[in-house]
Amino acid sequence: GVVVEHHCLANHLNWLQTYYPITETDIVLQQTTYTFDISVWELFWWAFAGATVCLLEPGGEKNPEILIETIEKNKITVMQFVPSMLGTFLEYLEKDDVENKLFSIKRVFACGEALTLKQVKAFNKLFFEQTGATLHNLYGPTEATINVSYYDCSPYEAESNIPIGKPISNLKLYVCDENLKLQPVGVPGELYISGTGVAREYLHKPELTKENFIKNPFYKGNDVYYKRMYKTGDLVKWLPDGNIDFLGRM
């Protein structure tokens, strides 16, 4: 278990509402099991703006027909997918030509796995070019509260990998070698996360906490949230445009 504090979630939800604001006319689809951290913003974000949340029936996320029926019936505007399920959903739409039933969708988030260029191209063809709906790639471990970086996939596309993007509000991302030395642009290293989203600890796991939540050698100020950083175990590199490219698990 990861002990996440209230301010961590408040920061994440505030970032979402600042960068991708919803209003009382929006309807968010809650389709992720509550044991998975990315379900949390589905459950709470709508309340920030007096919007509406629609609860998908259990198991419905695995059935494209149920998803389409729910989206059309409830006029869903905001939703998210794990990329593998997004890929399956897009393949279904390409075969059955039912995207005209999904005109209400305005924004889709992908997170939990690596998003592929093929999936982005398929989404932009079926949605962005037809209705203007946009796709956004989010990355983040539970230990840093759901998402720590974002990349807008519509209308622009990467040439190869889809980046995990730039840090969200009040977080700093570092790419380091094995000696905790900062890596320059283009050189792979391990990703470390500091800031308001970093969790407190692993529940009843002091040794694991000590191993992965470490002192931040790059911060000399007094903000307690930046004095610690989380060691992700993910291999990444900075891109010249300031985005981060995910290369895999170390």
Side-chain angles (χ1 to χ4, degrees):
V2 180
V3 181
V4 178
E5 299 188 2
H6 182 274
H7 67 262
C8 301
L9 177 58
N11 181 71
H12 185 274
L13 294 175
N14 185 66
W15 166 76
L16 273 174
Q17 183 60 10
T18 300
Y19 276 76
Y20 307 110
I22 58 177
T23 70
E24 64 274 7
T25 63
D26 281 295
I27 302 173
V28 177
L29 181 63
Q30 199 289 315
Q31 66 166 325
T32 309
T33 175
Y34 68 88
T35 58
F36 192 9
D37 66 345
I38 64 174
S39 69
V40 177
W41 71 254
E42 293 178 341
L43 290 167
F44 293 108
W45 180 20
W46 62 274
F48 268 46
T52 301
V53 62
C54 173
L55 305 181
L56 184 67
E57 66 178 72
E61 73 281 358
K62 301 174 184 178
N63 188 323
E65 292 183 0
I66 293 177
L67 262 180
I68 291 169
E69 179 183 345
T70 302
I71 293 168
E72 181 183 25
K73 178 181 177 180
N74 297 281
K75 303 296 186 290
I76 301 299
T77 63
V78 180
M79 60 188 301
Q80 72 175 332
F81 284 95
V82 173
S84 56
M85 287 192 171
L86 174 62
T88 300
F89 186 64
L90 293 172
E91 289 176 2
Y92 183 89
L93 295 182
E94 288 175 334
K95 294 177 181 178
D96 288 74
D97 191 29
V98 293
E99 62 265 25
N100 62 319
K101 297 182 179 180
L102 309 177
F103 68 91
S104 64
I105 295 176
K106 297 191 296 187
R107 202 180 303 281
V108 173
F109 297 96
C111 52
E113 297 171 351
L115 183 65
T116 68
L117 183 60
K118 178 181 178 181
Q119 291 163 347
V120 171
K121 288 183 175 180
F123 179 92
N124 284 342
K125 180 180 179 181
L126 290 171
F127 285 93
F128 179 74
E129 294 177 7
Q130 303 298 323
T131 67
T134 54
L135 177 65
H136 310 272
N137 190 29
L138 305 180
Y139 159 86
T142 301
E143 293 87 343
T145 315
I146 313 176
N147 304 122
V148 301
S149 66
Y150 67 101
Y151 179 77
D152 299 329
C153 303
S154 306
Y156 310 106
E157 295 177 357
E159 294 181 0
S160 53
N161 290 344
I162 302 299
I164 59 174
K166 300 176 181 179
I168 73 169
S169 303
N170 302 314
L171 267 73
K172 290 186 179 297
L173 305 182
Y174 306 94
V175 181
C176 304
D177 66 10
E178 61 272 15
N179 298 313
L180 275 183
K181 301 298 182 183
L182 295 175
Q183 298 288 65
V185 171
V187 179
E190 185 172 2
L191 180 65
Y192 290 78
I193 304 166
S194 178
T196 307
V198 176
R200 184 195 300 172
E201 62 187 357
Y202 292 108
L203 186 63
H204 308 315
K205 300 280 186 179
E207 293 303 316
L208 190 61
T209 297
K210 184 178 179 180
E211 179 183 343
N212 291 308
F213 293 90
I214 65 174
K215 181 180 179 180
N216 183 355
F218 311 112
Y219 181 72
K220 307 302 181 184
N222 297 317
D223 191 328
V224 65
Y225 303 131
Y226 291 97
K227 289 184 176 181
R228 300 163 64 243
M229 60 182 189
Y230 171 66
K231 173 183 170 71
T232 67
D234 286 338
L235 190 68
V236 301
K237 67 179 180 180
W238 287 108
L239 298 175
D241 60 3
N243 287 299
I244 288 179
D245 192 17
F246 177 79
L247 304 175
R249 290 289 293 167
M250 296 179 65

